[in-house]
Amino acid sequence: MHMISVGVNGYGTIGKRVADAVCAQPDMTVAGVAKTRPNYEARGAVRKGYDLYAAVAEREHLFAEAGIDIAGDVADLVGASDVIVDACPSGVGAENAKLYREYDTPALLQGGEDADVVDTSFVARANFDDAVGADLARVVSCNTTGLSRLVAPLQEAYGIEKVRATLVRRGGDPAQTDRGPINDILPNPVHLPSHHGPDVKTIFPDLDIDTLGLKVPATLMHMHSVNVTLEAEPTAADVRRLLEAENRTFVIPEGLGIDGAGAIHEFAQDADRPRGDIWENCIWGESVSLAGRDLYLFQAIHQESDVVPENVDAIRAVLDAADAETSTARTNEALGLDEGLTGAVGGVAQPADD
């Protein structure tokens, strides 16, 4: 099996998780990671054995002054890699795209970049084949990923007439000390729709979807209140079974007593997930309800980690290294997604019917 050499430009919240996920894959290796400054994450990368590169040439001296050896600058990393995962802050990836094209190295940008910068947007469950052979692909944002993972099986099984979703978004990640609000609830944005609906349409161009957004003083997860008008009329039990069969949707059993995002994180930590990460959509089984053809449910999205398996699959897609079924199965097995969160703690029975 050819080992894919993956460079990670930006070793922060997403980048460090992607690097660890790449290391877990049987067909990938980390060529190195790039950082702008010698902070605790740079030291963590060195401790893990990753070759460290300076993302900004003018700051190379800072690493030497901090006693950290580097393997070169970001151009050296691009040259040493089969593919680059760009996990830099929003807007920076678009600037970096010129470098990736110069070196003829395929690259993955993240959801903070505009869709028109790349050849295609990507969610493994929905449009894997669109990214095959692409020079630049965009792994869409955590919220768009979560909505797309939900839409894909529903559309296949029942057809979708309309999606309406209200997103209650965390104010910032736990380490983002400069984010807010601190004591407020903000319509974000005030105008409708929020950017999430149009972003989902980069994956499902013909989908009729409206989204609204709020921002709250929390750091744990995003929360979605979703209403989908289906073309068919399944039962709630039918929909639960459909979503339970998906590897990247976790239908929370009623017997677990999980009543919020904090409990989900605690559950993930008890299941020995690295950093307490939750790669799956977390859907409360009790919330799955049908009124005629109208489906309602609540789902929580871990913004720090749900795009990680998507990045791994997108690597194989742009290099045409595996088909969708092979790649997602390989990723899921390597990360433990095939066992799932419930399986990790012995399983809990679901209700048999409504």
Side-chain angles (χ1 to χ4, degrees):
M1 184 182 294
H2 170 67
M3 294 297 285
I4 300 168
S5 183
V6 181
V8 179
N9 187 8
Y11 191 77
T13 298
I14 300 299
K16 63 188 177 185
R17 288 171 164 84
V18 170
D20 289 353
V22 164
C23 269
Q25 304 304 307
D27 57 344
M28 298 183 188
T29 185
V30 175
V33 304
K35 283 290 293 179
T36 60
R37 55 197 175 99
N39 65 359
Y40 70 94
E41 288 170 323
R43 294 182 183 278
V46 172
R47 187 173 62 252
K48 285 177 176 282
Y50 299 143
D51 287 342
L52 185 63
Y53 292 78
V56 180
E58 293 77 12
R59 297 184 186 176
E60 286 188 32
H61 67 94
L62 297 177
F63 292 88
E65 292 168 5
I68 298 176
D69 292 331
I70 59 173
D73 62 21
V74 70
D76 297 319
L77 175 61
V78 175
S81 304
D82 294 324
V83 60
I84 292 289
V85 175
D86 187 297
C88 295
S90 298
V92 178
E95 291 296 317
N96 291 338
K98 292 176 284 189
L99 175 64
Y100 308 144
R101 292 190 187 279
E102 177 185 340
Y103 277 79
D104 197 25
T105 301
L108 311 178
L109 308 186
Q110 303 304 307
E113 307 302 333
D114 291 336
D116 58 8
V117 173
V118 299
D119 302 321
T120 187
S121 297
F122 180 89
V123 174
R125 179 63 179 81
N127 68 336
F128 186 100
D129 290 345
D130 290 350
V132 172
D135 293 325
L136 284 176
R138 181 180 71 120
V139 177
V140 295
S141 73
C142 50
N143 282 313
T144 304
T145 295
L147 288 169
S148 298
R149 284 178 182 165
L150 180 65
V151 163
L154 292 174
Q155 187 176 67
E156 291 169 7
Y158 309 121
I160 290 178
E161 183 177 307
K162 176 79 176 180
V163 178
R164 306 166 187 85
T166 299
L167 291 78
V168 181
R169 301 160 59 206
R170 59 89 180 102
D173 294 342
Q176 290 178 314
T177 55
D178 59 337
R179 297 288 290 271
I182 294 173
N183 182 28
D184 210 342
I185 301 171
L186 308 178
N188 184 258
V190 174
H191 63 77
L192 305 178
S194 69
H195 72 273
H196 308 94
D199 205 30
V200 171
K201 289 175 73 67
T202 68
I203 306 296
F204 298 94
D206 299 325
L207 185 68
D208 187 0
I209 179 170
D210 292 332
T211 55
L212 299 84
L214 302 167
K215 187 181 287 188
V216 298
T219 63
L220 291 173
M221 302 179 80
H222 301 298
M223 195 73 69
H224 297 175
S225 173
V226 183
N227 165 222
V228 183
T229 302
L230 303 170
E231 293 177 352
E233 194 169 333
T235 68
D238 291 333
V239 175
R240 284 199 298 266
R241 282 190 288 268
L242 176 73
L243 298 176
E244 287 163 11
E246 296 285 315
N247 286 114
R248 297 182 188 177
T249 57
F250 168 47
V251 179
I252 302 171
E254 295 157 30
L256 290 181
I258 290 177
D259 58 1
I264 295 174
H265 262 290
E266 186 79 4
F267 181 51
Q269 290 169 338
D270 288 348
D272 294 327
R273 282 289 181 86
R275 301 185 178 91
D277 285 346
I278 306 112
W279 302 303
E280 306 93 332
N281 296 26
C282 294
I283 301 166
W284 274 272
E286 293 169 88
S287 75
V288 177
S289 308
L290 267 294
R293 293 186 292 113
D294 276 317
L295 167 67
Y296 298 90
L297 58 81
F298 289 116
Q299 67 175 4
I301 304 296
H302 186 210
Q303 75 282 356
E304 296 175 281
S305 66
D306 84 320
V307 300
V308 170
E310 308 304 316
N311 274 273
V312 174
D313 288 325
I315 289 168
R316 296 193 186 97
V318 298
L319 295 177
D320 197 11
D323 59 26
E325 183 178 0
T326 301
S327 180
T328 54
R330 192 175 295 166
T331 300
N332 291 345
E333 181 179 5
L335 295 180
L337 276 158
D338 54 346
E339 181 182 41
L341 273 168
T342 305
V345 292
V348 176
Q350 289 274 23
D353 212 328
D354 293 324

